[in-house]
Amino acid sequence: MNLLAPAQEVARCFNEDETVQHEFERLQFIRMLLGPAMPFTEKILGDLDWRQAQATCLQVRVIGLPLN
């Protein structure tokens, strides 16, 4: 049994969360540079940026058998 597995999982989650947060901030900065040309509210734009950051940065974890 790997005693470091829980600590590694916590570190992985932290790193993923940090990556998503940095990508979100980058998207927000780009949107700020482009100016208020969008006809949506800031909340909607923030939600869209957050979802884009998650889709870009989060890994998809699957459990299964290799197909040969």
Side-chain angles (χ1 to χ4, degrees):
M1 181 172 178
N2 185 358
L3 296 176
L4 293 177
Q8 290 172 336
E9 181 65 18
V10 169
R12 184 196 60 76
C13 288
F14 176 80
N15 289 335
E16 274 189 350
D17 292 344
E18 283 292 305
T19 303
V20 170
Q21 182 64 37
H22 286 294
E23 179 66 11
F24 173 72
E25 291 170 359
R26 187 184 75 80
L27 292 171
Q28 290 283 292
F29 181 72
I30 291 171
R31 188 173 306 286
M32 181 195 67
L33 290 177
L34 295 176
M38 296 284 198
F40 301 111
T41 65
E42 284 296 316
K43 179 173 178 6
I44 291 173
L45 294 174
D47 289 345
L48 290 173
D49 287 341
W50 184 255
R51 289 175 189 237
Q52 178 64 36
Q54 286 180 320
T56 302
C57 298
L58 292 182
Q59 296 179 2
V60 177
R61 304 209 186 299
V62 296
I63 299 173
L65 300 173
L67 300 174
N68 293 330

